[in-house]
Amino acid sequence: MGELINKVGNTDNLKDALNKISIESTPMSTNEQIEFYIQNKMPFMLHGMSGVGKSRRIKDIDPEFVSIYLRNGMLPEEVIGKTIYPNNDTTQVGKWVPPSWYGELCDKCEKEKDKVHVLFIDELTNARETVQSLAYHLVLEHSIAPNLGKLPDNCVVVCAGNSKDESAAANIIPEPLFRRFVAHIYL
């Protein structure tokens, strides 16, 4: 408190400064929360039953969002790309080939640098843990892998899925992945 008084000048000035501070006490609607996290580029997850409008809410904010639809049996390269080797010789240096969604996202973000675009990972909970794990780095580090596929600065990762009690196909999200989201919004 003493440091604050020194910066403001005296206790009367401090009281005046504190009286000018207002705290908003009106809760944000669900749509306002979603828009807030997107505009501030904070990764979050939407939870809810099928048909509740998880994808639609994202589409309302970013009509041209880029989507990765997770499903069991999908190839990892659909999410993280793959490495190819000249003449199939793995002793040579390989070249990373990004997944198709990555080029689409980078193009959109490059064309509209002043707009935040969404990378929407759908059906996260319907995928097995091995498939879910492909999203870890995207959510936490904003890239596909440590040295590959940095996501554009004007992009945010949003995931969606069902909870175990709402869908027989749903799986529990591993705790480390669950904690990587800034927020979880339940619809």
Side-chain angles (χ1 to χ4, degrees), residues 124-139:
L124 181 67
T125 55
N126 285 1
R128 288 187 200 95
E129 190 174 327
T130 54
V131 176
Q132 290 177 0
S133 70
L134 301 173
Y136 278 46
H137 219 268
L138 290 167
V139 174

Side-chain angles (χ1 to χ4, degrees), residues 4-182:
L4 211 52
I5 292 172
N6 289 339
K7 289 182 180 180
V8 180
N10 62 41
T11 56
D12 290 333
N13 289 345
L14 177 61
K15 286 178 188 174
D16 288 342
L18 292 175
N19 285 332
K20 292 177 184 175
I21 295 172
S22 66
I23 298 173
E24 181 62 47
S25 62
T26 307
M28 284 194 274
S29 70
T30 301
N31 288 345
E32 289 171 330
Q33 290 175 52
I34 291 169
E35 190 163 343
F36 172 83
Y37 290 119
I38 288 173
Q39 294 310 316
N40 288 287
K41 298 180 263 187
M42 299 171 158
F44 66 96
M45 180 156 178
L46 295 172
H47 300 263
M49 296 185 309
S50 296
V52 78
K54 297 179 293 288
S55 302
R56 181 192 46 79
R57 290 171 195 254
I58 300 305
K59 191 172 194 98
D60 288 347
I61 295 169
D62 183 7
E64 298 178 359
F65 67 86
V66 174
S67 182
I68 302 172
Y69 181 80
L70 294 184
R71 62 199 184 286
N72 291 318
M74 73 184 309
L75 299 173
E77 54 258 28
E78 294 176 71
V79 179
I80 61 172
K82 64 182 177 180
T83 303
I84 58 171
Y85 297 93
N87 302 320
N88 290 328
D89 182 357
T90 57
T91 62
Q92 295 183 24
V93 175
K95 179 183 179 199
W96 178 64
V97 178
S100 59
W101 64 263
Y102 181 73
E104 181 184 352
L105 179 68
C106 290
D107 289 347
K108 286 179 192 236
C109 289
E110 179 64 30
K111 287 178 187 169
E112 296 179 292
K113 292 182 181 181
D114 59 331
K115 181 180 178 192
V116 178
H117 286 280
V118 174
L119 172 60
F120 187 62
I121 303 175
D122 202 4
E123 303 296 350
L124 181 67
T125 55
N126 285 1
R128 288 187 200 95
E129 190 174 327
T130 54
V131 176
Q132 290 177 0
S133 70
L134 301 173
Y136 278 46
H137 219 268
L138 290 167
V139 174
L140 182 66
E141 298 296 336
H142 210 69
S143 68
I144 292 174
N147 298 315
L148 297 173
K150 181 182 177 330
L151 298 182
D153 291 334
N154 59 327
C155 137
V156 62
V157 177
V158 178
C159 294
N162 313 100
S163 66
K164 193 107 172 102
D165 58 333
E166 295 167 335
S167 171
N171 297 293
I172 295 172
I173 300 172
E175 187 67 23
L177 178 57
F178 187 89
R179 286 182 293 159
R180 288 182 179 193
F181 295 103
V182 172

